[in-house]
DNA sequence: TTGTAAGCGTTATCAG
DNA sequence: CTGATAACGCTTACAA
């Protein structure tokens, strides 16, 4: 049985479509008699409004597109997407996900899909190419960037990576660690666009250096390892962290603590340490970033949590504001924060 | 600048909408002259077809809904969804995700969303309530169940859990393990619907028992731990596996190998083992299931991989066949297979 | 080779 | 209080 139309409901109830529409929206005058007839007709036909017809008529789809970077490689994106969707649902919207896997052409394809579907706004949890963001703006579709900004001119909800990173470093320092290594994203590699804003990578690395300096500690030679967080193609394997850690372990004077600015990096580091027959946190302390797979690692990882829920929710709300043409005052960055688990201990 | 319409393009090119439509679809006769004028008009106006209008007219949305169980708790779902989407894209479709988190009412809500959006078909990567599947059937929307079947009357693409599980067990037995424990889903708990079909849990547990029997081995007392795989609410924490493992470690004669039928369970087990000061695989061998987070655990987990890519792809293809009213011969179950990594070693 | 026009299922305006 | 009716943007007979 195909889904029925407003017209069919109207006929069955012996009224016009306008009357059915009135009871559906609960506004406008309808006699008790008509109302009840319509209501039973609605039930009997199992009427479900046709979102395409409605969208066409109202010139909005009640859908927002959400462009993601690496849904299979890093759970971070799934989480942000999940919470954005949750918030969207509350407001009667649905989200449409699209994964670009770090490829600009792919992102372009997604953007065109979004335009064709006439989404009411688009969330980018990481745009790769600012040109794609502009494409949307040219089509008069509001855009909100989450976590990272690719196009400085477009609104964004970002995270204060510095607070959490500083907490992490202070924690390590308080535990008495003097030789602390860093592994993370290479600022020059990861943020080719939007150099104007301090990038996520700059914030994290900066916090590491500043905390060290504030404590009068040296940055151990060869202890800052920069690169990518993971390869999207291999499904987020941690191999990068594994390699960094191998090198770190081979250092003349081995670090006693590591600050890895991604849980996936930390996962690889953990494997290298284990292979070397060392124990975390007994021999080496380790802190991650994001709070994604950290809780499932061995030992459970102390990590800097990103506010994924707030990112998603605030992201959608910002999009909604834009859709409704309300101006939203630029929100301050959301805080990151240290989550203590079992991968850190006093230096020996 | 709002997106332009076919009408606007037609006017600009000095032709009718029908002609524009003809060049757009590349079929029907159009003079070279008209064609080139249309093409430039198309470019100049940055025309993008309106999917809602098209859908309304054609009575199909080129969208399929994909109902997921626990996108944030278990990467399995993300992967299946990803590949289904990938296949969909190839055929000009998009997928619409919806996460029910194990709650029937939530799933119901999602189904109604799908109906309103007039998706052309729905994939269930795990339906909770067969009634919701029926709702779609009543609306004449084709349905395909992936991995698990909640409604025996609806088509499904399933996995042969037995092959992989047997491989895993044989591997352990060949390594000389005699006391092998099992932790996994409770058949009575997890498949309240569709008892007619052998459930995933029955297959896995059955393979464990059969392999033991075939090798003339005993099922060690207290060594079969049944329950849930994880709690969706805590984001897939592995705590269940942790608890199982604690108990297993307290057994009078401790198992030398564990077959955990979910990587998340295995993650928790790994933590308990580590805490006890034991090493994997030196002291205890461990095999997981799914091949999701296994590669990121320490040590990298030997696990039975589910064919997530094929599940997603074949799932979409089955849906497409149903949409196009082609009858598809019931496909045989997809195979699971053992992936060797570093968590198994000879018994000592 | 091209144009006209009738829908698809809603919403919204405007008379009655 | 209620009912016609005109869009929304596209596809597709059918005419010309």
């Amino acid at each position: 049985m195909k889904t029925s139309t407003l017209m069919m409901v109207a006929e069955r109830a012996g009224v016009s479509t306008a009357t059915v529409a009135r009871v559906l929206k609960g506004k406008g005058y309808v006699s008790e008699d008509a109302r009840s007839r319509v209501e039973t007709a609605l039930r009997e036909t199992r009427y479900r409004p046709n979102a395409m017809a409605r969208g066409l008529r109202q010139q909005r789809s009640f859908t927002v597109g959400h462009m993601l970077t690496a849904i299979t490689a890093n759970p971070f994106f799934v989480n942000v997407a999940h919470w954005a969707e949750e918030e969207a649902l509350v407001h009667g919207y649905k989200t449409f996900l699209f994964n670009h896997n770090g490829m600009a052409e792919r992102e372009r394809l997604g953007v065109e899909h979004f335009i064709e579907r006439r989404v009411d706004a688009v969330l980018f949890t990481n745009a790769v190419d600012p040109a794609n963001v502009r494409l949307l703006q040219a089509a008069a579709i509001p855009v909100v960037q989450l976590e990272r900004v690719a196009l400085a001119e477009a609104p964004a909800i970002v995270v204060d990576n510095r607070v959490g990173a500083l907490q992490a470093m202070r924690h390590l320092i308080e535990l008495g660690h003097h030789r602390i290594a860093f592994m993370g994203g290479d600022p020059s590699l990861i943020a080719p666009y939007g150099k104007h804003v301090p990038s996520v990578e700059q914030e994290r690395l900066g916090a590491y250096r500043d905390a060290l300096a504030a404590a009068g500690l040296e940055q151990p030679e060869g202890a800052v390892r920069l690169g990518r967080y993971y390869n999207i193609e291999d499904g987020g394997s941690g191999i990068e962290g594994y390699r960094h850690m191998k090198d770190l372990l081979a250092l003349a004077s081995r670090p006693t603590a590591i600050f890895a600015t991604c849980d996936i990096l930390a996962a690889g580091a953990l494997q290298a340490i284990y292979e070397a027959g060392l124990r975390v946190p007994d021999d080496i302390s380790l802190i991650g970033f994001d709070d994604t797979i950290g809780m499932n690692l061995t030992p459970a990882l102390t990590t800097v949590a990103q506010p994924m829920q707030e990112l998603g929710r605030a992201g959608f709300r910002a999009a909604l504001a834009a859709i409704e043409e309300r101006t939203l005052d630029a929100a301050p960055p959301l805080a990151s924060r240290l989550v203590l688990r079992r991968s850190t201990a006093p230096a020996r």
Side-chain angles (χ1 to χ4, degrees), chain A residues 158-161 163-164 167 305-308 332-337:
Chain A
V158 296
V159 175
D160 184 338
N161 286 267
V163 255
Q167 284 171 18
Q306 295 236 45
M308 299 179 285
L334 304 172
S336 52
R337 63 166 224 293

Side-chain angles (χ1 to χ4, degrees), chain A residues 11-26:
Chain A
E11 263 172 23
R12 184 178 198 108
V15 295
S16 73
T17 60
T19 300
V20 180
R22 277 186 280 261
V23 347
L24 240 24
K25 324 212 82 71

Side-chain angles (χ1 to χ4, degrees), chain A residues 25-26 78 88 145 148 212 231 245 270 274 311 313 336 339:
Chain A
K25 324 212 82 71
V78 179
Q145 301 170 94
R148 280 164 202 269
L212 243 33
N231 294 315
M245 196 64 223
L270 240 18
Y274 192 74
L311 222 29
R313 289 199 185 272
S336 52
V339 173

Side-chain angles (χ1 to χ4, degrees), chain A residues 310-330:
Chain A
E310 260 320 282
L311 222 29
R313 289 199 185 272
F316 177 79
R317 282 194 302 259
L320 186 58
I323 292 169
E324 295 172 346
E325 295 179 312
R326 305 192 317 261
T327 40
L328 58 176
D329 15 338

Side-chain angles (χ1 to χ4, degrees), chain A residues 82-96:
Chain A
H82 174 74
W83 291 113
E85 159 147 41
E86 205 64 20
E87 185 72 20
L89 234 40
V90 169
H91 298 274
Y93 279 74
K94 284 225 19 92
T95 59
F96 230 132

